[in-house]
Amino acid sequence: MAEADLMSSPVGQKPVYWDPYEPEVFANPYPMLKRLREEAPLYYNEKYDFYAVSRYEDCIAVLGNRDDYISKHGGVIEVMKAGIEVPSGMFIYEDPPLHTAHRRFFTKVFTPKHVAALDTQIRDFCVKALDPLVGGNEIDFIEHLGAEMPMRVIGMLLGMPEEQLKDAQRNVDESMRTEPGQQNENSGDSLAGEYYADFVDYRIKNPGDDLVSSLLNTPFDDDKGVTRTLTRAEVLSMVALIFGAGNETTNRLIGWTAKLLSERPDDRREVHANPAMLPEVLEEVLRYEPPGMYIGRTVVRDVEFHGTKVPAGNALLAIVSAANRDEAKFPNGEVFDIHRGRQPHLTFGYGFHNCLGNALARVEGRIAFEEVFKRFRDWEVDLSRAKMSSTATVRGWESLPARI
Ligand code: HEM
């Protein structure tokens, strides 16, 4: 076991060991993450060969510094270790100058107007999904809402027809799924966006009033200062990015909100009586149960944390799920408190790559639960039938049945 694994474990306790794939830790990672913050603020995992920081300030130091930490080798352990050549356009895994050019371009074509325009469609979808459940005795927050709504919202945004949307979703699910305790060997498969080729080709021939048509036809200044439009390959990767980044993550947010409120009847009734609290409640859900456990970077210059060197070339994870409960930043960080107010949690990342879909995810969560609360004041999740998803990177529920 490496030196950092053993750092200052109290006498009588097992050394700190954090394996993000280990089913028991995956089911409830927080006791171990607390120990990481306290006992091994720089942690090294020998089995998967990665370093990790878990304190808030350390995560900020990593995510806010793109000279020493880069994204181009990926942000999840499997991709980083597989040595996958990330295709151009998957800008979550790019560095300057290409990242700067692609991100600037994307913020030009994906504006707050797009998000606002989706408002009514999101609500209509939720109404259609929830109305048939009224008068019954069960809802599955994932089957009826989480697995459906964010996917359709991405479809609305991209202008993708229903059948293609479902196919794409199936492919992405398959590329993300892991056996319990195992790494995902297919994690690089979806990056080039070949699943979306038919659809993008259709839009090349039939431009419309949708995001993909804007991606295809809006000129931008690329990393070499040349004014051009995106190549077909870049568009495919950007579609894959939006699909991958905006779908399962928001699904997990819906699941965690339902579960946390199920377990807290007083909070639930308070929100039911005052749905204007929902944005604040969702912030606390995001802080407390972030869909993404960590954000990975590759170290390009030797760096040091807490007296230990991390040599260049290593994978370093900023464990945002641990940072979000760091007592130094969030008093009573282990407590879920719907009155905490908006807090600078790291669930959407920090700095250069921070999430460009955060406003959309927040709108989706708010509208979903506004519509839930219009119909149901009480629900109780049946944990004996609920199932956690087996994707190691985006932690949450695959089915979440609840009595209503
Ligand atoms: C609760 C839901 C969501 C969570 C927790 C989430 C989380 C994140 C995180 C942590 C990052 C930063 C990764 C890094 O620093 O390497 C990120 C980036 C990104 N997200 Fe999200 N996301 C969510 C929803 C969405 C949605 C709905 C979209 C769709 C438009 C989206 C699009 C993106 C894009 C395009 C990036 C790349 C930004 C860049 O690299 O410059 N996300 N997201």
Side-chain angles (χ1 to χ4, degrees), residues 91-92 99 103 245-246 249-250 295 297 347-349 352-353 355 357 361:
F91 61 90
I92 196 166
H99 173 261
R103 183 175 165 108
T249 45
T250 315
I295 301 171
R297 295 283 188 265
T347 298
F348 290 117
F352 306 104
H353 285 270
C355 178

Side-chain angles (χ1 to χ4, degrees), residues 63 66 71 74-75 90-94 99 102-104 106 110 115 150 153-154 157 211 238 241-254 286 289-292 294-297 320 345-362 364 394:
L63 299 175
R66 60 183 1 180
S71 297
M90 176 57 61
F91 61 90
I92 196 166
Y93 296 158
E94 286 175 354
H99 173 261
H102 279 152
R103 183 175 165 108
R104 193 182 297 135
F106 191 76
F110 180 56
V115 178
V153 172
I154 299 288
L157 190 65
L211 186 59
M238 272 195 202
L241 167 57
I242 298 161
F243 216 93
N247 214 334
E248 286 300 303
T249 45
T250 315
N251 178 1
R252 302 291 189 261
L253 169 63
I254 290 170
L286 285 162
E289 290 285 12
Y294 67 83
I295 301 171
R297 295 283 188 265
V320 292
H345 61 69
L346 300 182
T347 298
F348 290 117
Y350 174 83
F352 306 104
H353 285 270
N354 87 316
C355 178
L356 290 176
N358 74 80
L360 179 58
R362 285 172 162 128
E364 289 180 58
V394 196

Side-chain angles (χ1 to χ4, degrees), residues 371-388:
E371 293 304 321
V372 166
F373 275 117
K374 277 185 196 162
R375 291 161 182 79
F376 315 111
R377 185 189 67 163
D378 291 316
W379 63 86
E380 194 184 340
V381 166
D382 180 355
L383 279 182
S384 69
R385 290 190 297 130
K387 198 169 157 237
M388 272 213 128

Side-chain angles (χ1 to χ4, degrees), residues 185-200:
E185 283 165 10
N186 311 319
S187 57
D189 290 3
S190 55
L191 300 181
E194 276 306 316
Y195 306 142
Y196 316 100
D198 288 349
F199 165 63
V200 169

